[in-house]
Amino acid sequence: MKIKSFNVIPNLPDSLKALDELSTNMWFTWNWDAIMMFVGIDEDLWHRSHRNPKWILGTLAPERLEQLSRDEAFLGRLREIQKKFEDYVSYKDTWFARNRQDQDKDMLVAYFSMEYGIGEGLPIYSGGLGMLSGDHLKSSSDLGMPVVGVGLLYKKGYVQQVLNRDNWQVERYPENDWYNMPVQIVKDGSGRPLRVEVDLAGERVQVGVWKVPVGRTSLFLLDTNLPENSPAARTITEQLYGGDRENRIRQEIVLGIGGRRALAAMGLEPTVYHVNEGHSAFLLFERIRHMMKSRGLSYAEARELVWASSAFTTHTPVMAGNEYFDFELVRKYFEHYVREMGLTFPEFLEIGKEEPTSMGFCMTVVAMRLCAFLNGVSMLHRDVSRDMWHKLWPELPRYEIPIEGITNGVHTCSWISHEHHQLYSKALAGGHNNIPDSCEWPKIDAIDDKELWDTHMVRKRKLVALVRERLRRQHARLGADRTVLEEASGVLNPDYLTIGFARRFATYKRATLFMRDLERLLEMVADEKMPVQFVFAGKAHQADAHGKEFIKQVARLSMDKRFKNRIIFVEDYNMNVARYMVQGVDVWMNNPIRPLEASGTSGMKAVINGVMNLSVLDGWWPEGYSPDVGWAIGGTESYNSDEERDYVEAESIYNLIRKVIAPLYYDRGQDGLPHGWIKMMKACVQKLVPHFNTNRMLREYYEKFYTPAHRASVKFRENSRVAELARWRSRLAESWPRVRVVTDQFKPEMEVHAGARLPVSAIVWLGELKPEDVDVQLYIGTAGGEALFKDGKAVSMKHESRMGDAYVYKGEIPCYKSGRHDFAVRVVGRHPDAVNALMPLFIKWSEE
């Protein structure tokens, strides 16, 4: 049977035509006026559609459209919002426009990620990586930064969670109807849907492209679910992180290789590529292959260009979380492809191996070898990543390994409540884009305590109402009787101290830690003078039985009558539930096993709304914590066992809540307000919000990564220049085995006084290299393990003379303080066009 399809689009009256663009640009997701306009069209459809206005317009009865087209109040509101949108997208004085140099005016950054959390109506996200990617694009739009996103269009959306009668998580995968979602088919010059082709083990797979407007920028999504593809190829983009290992590599080939080809087919030529996690790292090989073919570069030359103009962000603090592929699976998909780069297959495999004996092809290693700009997502994660990947730079001190720390942030306007937004805008003198950049945060102290507390209580009551409604729906689905449904309508009390915990239920996040001593927990919850209540939410990965067991334990506890309906698990966690929770609880609890939380951003979303964090000093919290803005669970110490760690940190939770947090919350003045608590709320907002946001994060990427990468890309438009850099690198590789350095008869006086400057000479043999090819450095610091340094700094030495076939260099050690001083001399490569002298690493330390 041959089934044919066609697409019907809404027939909007002329006076409502503006709704078409406003419903398909994700700008509405962070603009309250636009949201409320769509809610006002049909509130029931708004919730049923998962906040998808395009679906609403396609579902709305013609009579309602006709009614709206004659409603002058609605039309006036629509005109106001349309003007606000047009002013936003046409605004010229953006942060990027004010701060870029003339040489950066044609910058274009392509940002690749497997998932994006932009709005509930676009369910192509799973967790924190997607939330971060979505916020990255939103802040790019707000700042006017030229960034486009690339991802995959998944047939099956974000997993829906239901709990059965045993409180066990069951997954549902609703299929997305893309013709009723805020995406648009990208067409070629002839008006036909754009196609690019990717070879997958000999099968030529067609890839379609869809566009999602995100304010001033765009997200492009790749789709293999096309009639012209085989049934197997059509399932590649069926589900986020779905299928077996073979489907995963096929997804990542489509994302990386297909993504770069799609950008080129649309006439977009990014000057910078940002690989967000290792999933898309195959795009780096595709860039090399393309440069070789289009510009006639050698592999070495193309690799230099790609390396200098690529950035990589790692989000994974444990080795098991990194993407590895079996060598034979890689051979199946790349044995022929690598020949186009002039490589043998073993040479190709070496790029993905951490060390010669590695048994898997690691996408993180590929990205670290082929990108000049690397970062972790917090300062602690930077240090963890340096420890994890030190084998790639075995002769560098750990702290010098070229992985930067750029701490994540959140898109403030996406996560702040409407009520807090109004309050801050009025009191803190918000500017054109309002929050967070234009606010004068020190002014928050001048906000009236009652006004801030009333704002918080409005959100708290809304959270309680949401929890009650979702709990009623859950019980009704399970066939509960009227008594249970009525009981669900009375859970939680907005006047009680409310602690929230919502995140992916991975075991290292320890969702059940607060249950370790049920008697202590019961004392807190059932205390009638200072009662405490908990709201939990989150999903486990479909294959994570241990995570599902944690959900079961928490959900069962919520049914225990001893706890008086004061511990609630909210089913089917999503962006909307997350928003209500971070806006409505009093305290945000986070207790992962340190240091396994790379960054974490949910706590940042909470502080925007004046919610304090109670957290282990992991991820971003070591940078944010001080006693006046929140609480720390435990410290940074090491434990003798997992049992000891869990005992100490559970006790810390109980003691802090019972002895510090609850007394502060319930300490009320004569006016009934908790002034001490409100003082902490103000300090929390004032100190943390200006820093922990994606506007600051994007500015850091721009200054540290995007600007130097773009300038390298422009510089290497000259083939001769990149060829010279490749020749220099080749000379280093050839001569490096013959490079030696020794210190020359260093004999300090018996006593060296503070303030002295000790002369040091070094003799250096360079083989066929010249002094201008290297940097000879005097390294001064404190010696550590592995014959390297625990701390220190490098100072370039001066070439003084020639001595036979060696060179003499001289420098000085400044002795600013008393005590032991350690030093060594080292040689590293140096070239004015190399954006990072330590990548790839050529280094020789002094032998004596």
Side-chain angles (χ1 to χ4, degrees), residues 243-284:
D244 56 14
R245 296 304 300 160
E246 183 153 11
N247 194 65
R248 176 66 69 87
I249 197 172
R250 287 158 69 87
Q251 283 189 338
E252 297 186 7
I253 292 169
V254 169
L255 175 61
I257 296 177
R260 199 222 64 83
R261 292 178 183 177
L263 291 174
M266 291 184 288
L268 299 175
E269 290 295 339
T271 56
V272 181
Y273 284 77
H274 188 160
V275 179
N276 188 43
E277 199 55 281
H279 309 115
S280 59
F282 289 133
L283 80 87
L284 302 167

Side-chain angles (χ1 to χ4, degrees), residues 288-303:
I288 291 171
R289 187 201 66 81
H290 172 70
M291 291 296 176
M292 293 174 67
K293 183 177 180 180
S294 64
R295 291 178 48 177
L297 300 177
S298 68
Y299 169 78
E301 293 164 349
R303 179 169 172 164

Side-chain angles (χ1 to χ4, degrees), residues 163 165-168 515 549-561 563 567 569:
L163 301 187
R165 293 181 184 277
D166 293 325
N167 293 302
W168 188 258
M515 298 167 51
E549 183 61 37
F550 278 17
I551 289 173
K552 180 178 179 179
Q553 291 179 37
V554 175
R556 287 180 62 184
L557 194 67
S558 69
M559 301 170 67
D560 190 326
K561 298 303 180 184
F563 293 96
I567 299 176
F569 182 87

Side-chain angles (χ1 to χ4, degrees), residues 8 15 23 97 153 308 313-314 445 564 771 786 796:
V8 177
S15 59
S23 68
L153 187 89
T313 299
T314 175
D445 286 332
K564 301 183 177 181
E786 302 179 26
S796 294

Side-chain angles (χ1 to χ4, degrees), residues 27 33-34 37 77-85:
W27 171 84
D33 291 339
M37 178 186 68
R77 192 176 187 185
L78 174 59
R79 285 191 291 270
E80 289 178 6
I81 294 169
Q82 182 184 17
K83 185 177 186 306
K84 183 178 180 182
F85 171 71

Side-chain angles (χ1 to χ4, degrees), residues 436-621:
D437 289 344
S438 301
C439 287
E440 298 179 42
W441 294 105
K443 286 185 176 181
I444 199 167
D445 286 332
I447 295 178
D448 180 70
D449 279 7
K450 185 176 187 305
E451 190 172 13
L452 181 59
W453 186 248
D454 286 348
T455 301
H456 175 63
M457 290 304 295
V458 167
R459 293 310 313 177
K460 203 169 175 184
R461 285 189 284 271
K462 288 186 176 182
L463 169 63
V464 170
L466 175 87
V467 172
R468 289 172 176 175
E469 173 58 27
R470 292 178 74 93
L471 199 58
R472 277 197 302 268
R473 291 208 309 263
Q474 177 184 342
H475 287 316
R477 191 195 73 246
L478 294 172
D481 61 29
R482 196 170 112 190
T483 305
V484 174
L485 297 181
E486 288 177 353
E487 186 177 307
S489 300
V491 302
L492 303 180
N493 185 326
D495 293 326
Y496 292 172
L497 172 63
T498 305
I499 298 175
F501 180 103
R503 50 191 38 85
R504 183 166 55 91
F505 265 62
T507 50
Y508 79 87
K509 295 177 184 284
R510 296 189 298 179
T512 58
L513 185 64
F514 84 117
M515 298 167 51
R516 200 172 191 278
D517 187 333
L518 290 179
E519 292 306 315
R520 294 285 302 277
L521 180 61
L522 184 59
E523 287 175 11
M524 292 191 303
V525 171
D527 188 327
E528 294 306 324
K529 291 183 178 180
M530 296 190 300
V532 181
Q533 58 193 12
F534 294 83
V535 181
F536 276 73
K539 298 174 179 176
H541 186 277
Q542 56 266 36
D544 184 2
H546 294 294
K548 292 181 180 183
E549 183 61 37
F550 278 17
I551 289 173
K552 180 178 179 179
Q553 291 179 37
V554 175
R556 287 180 62 184
L557 194 67
S558 69
M559 301 170 67
D560 190 326
K561 298 303 180 184
R562 293 178 299 166
F563 293 96
K564 301 183 177 181
N565 290 321
R566 295 176 187 172
I567 299 176
I568 302 296
F569 182 87
V570 182
E571 184 184 63
D572 197 26
Y573 181 54
N574 58 24
M575 286 182 74
N576 192 44
V577 173
R579 201 176 288 112
Y580 271 82
M581 288 187 66
V582 298
Q583 294 169 0
V585 298
D586 298 302
V587 176
W588 194 254
M589 187 169 69
N590 184 35
N591 43 249
I593 297 172
R594 189 178 191 271
L596 302 185
E597 186 89 281
S599 172
T601 56
S602 60
M604 301 177 192
K605 296 163 187 168
V607 301
I608 298 168
N609 300 285
V611 174
M612 275 85 77
N613 277 258
L614 167 64
S615 176
V616 167
L617 288 169
D618 198 9
W620 74 284
W621 193 229

Side-chain angles (χ1 to χ4, degrees), residues 144-198:
M145 203 172 291
V147 178
V148 295
V150 180
L152 298 179
L153 187 89
Y154 301 104
K155 178 182 178 182
K156 294 182 179 179
Y158 181 42
V159 59
Q160 291 183 357
Q161 175 197 59
V162 294
L163 301 187
N164 64 21
R165 293 181 184 277
D166 293 325
N167 293 302
W168 188 258
Q169 172 182 297
V170 179
E171 298 83 25
R172 293 177 178 172
Y173 297 94
E175 291 197 4
N176 292 316
D177 176 9
W178 292 115
Y179 293 96
N180 276 316
M181 289 184 168
V183 296
Q184 307 161 8
I185 294 175
V186 176
K187 298 182 179 180
D188 60 21
S190 62
R192 292 189 296 269
L194 182 70
R195 296 286 188 266
V196 295
E197 189 175 271
V198 175

Side-chain angles (χ1 to χ4, degrees), residues 299-536:
Y299 169 78
E301 293 164 349
R303 179 169 172 164
E304 290 288 353
L305 192 160
V306 169
W307 172 78
S309 57
S310 299
F312 170 60
T313 299
T314 175
H315 295 258
T316 308
V318 291
M319 291 303 295
N322 292 278
E323 189 83 273
Y324 286 85
F325 289 114
D326 178 79
F327 292 150
E328 288 307 308
L329 188 59
V330 176
R331 180 189 299 276
K332 177 177 178 179
Y333 286 93
F334 283 94
E335 188 167 28
H336 295 289
Y337 181 90
V338 301
R339 295 172 189 169
E340 297 186 53
M341 294 183 286
L343 296 178
T344 66
F345 186 68
E347 289 172 334
F348 178 78
L349 285 184
E350 287 302 313
I351 299 171
K353 293 166 68 173
E354 182 184 4
E355 51 190 337
T357 57
S358 295
M359 298 305 294
F361 186 85
C362 180
M363 299 295 281
T364 303
V365 172
V366 168
M368 288 188 170
R369 286 221 165 100
L370 297 182
C371 295
F373 304 94
L374 313 175
N375 76 285
V377 290
S378 68
M379 295 301 108
L380 178 58
H381 182 234
R382 173 201 63 188
D383 297 339
V384 170
S385 297
R386 287 173 174 175
D387 285 340
M388 283 175 62
W389 301 108
H390 73 277
K391 291 180 181 178
L392 299 180
W393 296 271
E395 295 184 80
L396 276 185
R398 298 289 175 93
Y399 61 87
E400 210 179 6
I401 287 172
I403 300 175
E404 296 292 325
I406 297 180
T407 302
N408 283 344
V410 297
H411 184 251
T412 311
C413 285
S414 290
W415 297 102
I416 190 171
S417 77
H418 169 58
E419 292 83 0
H420 285 90
H421 191 288
Q422 281 191 319
L423 178 61
Y424 297 164
S425 298
K426 178 180 69 174
L428 308 180
H432 180 80
N433 276 327
N434 226 344
I435 294 173
D437 289 344
S438 301
C439 287
E440 298 179 42
W441 294 105
K443 286 185 176 181
I444 199 167
D445 286 332
I447 295 178
D448 180 70
D449 279 7
K450 185 176 187 305
E451 190 172 13
L452 181 59
W453 186 248
D454 286 348
T455 301
H456 175 63
M457 290 304 295
V458 167
R459 293 310 313 177
K460 203 169 175 184
R461 285 189 284 271
K462 288 186 176 182
L463 169 63
V464 170
L466 175 87
V467 172
R468 289 172 176 175
E469 173 58 27
R470 292 178 74 93
L471 199 58
R472 277 197 302 268
R473 291 208 309 263
Q474 177 184 342
H475 287 316
R477 191 195 73 246
L478 294 172
D481 61 29
R482 196 170 112 190
T483 305
V484 174
L485 297 181
E486 288 177 353
E487 186 177 307
S489 300
V491 302
L492 303 180
N493 185 326
D495 293 326
Y496 292 172
L497 172 63
T498 305
I499 298 175
F501 180 103
R503 50 191 38 85
R504 183 166 55 91
F505 265 62
T507 50
Y508 79 87
K509 295 177 184 284
R510 296 189 298 179
T512 58
L513 185 64
F514 84 117
M515 298 167 51
R516 200 172 191 278
D517 187 333
L518 290 179
E519 292 306 315
R520 294 285 302 277
L521 180 61
L522 184 59
E523 287 175 11
M524 292 191 303
V525 171
D527 188 327
E528 294 306 324
K529 291 183 178 180
M530 296 190 300
V532 181
Q533 58 193 12
F534 294 83
V535 181
F536 276 73

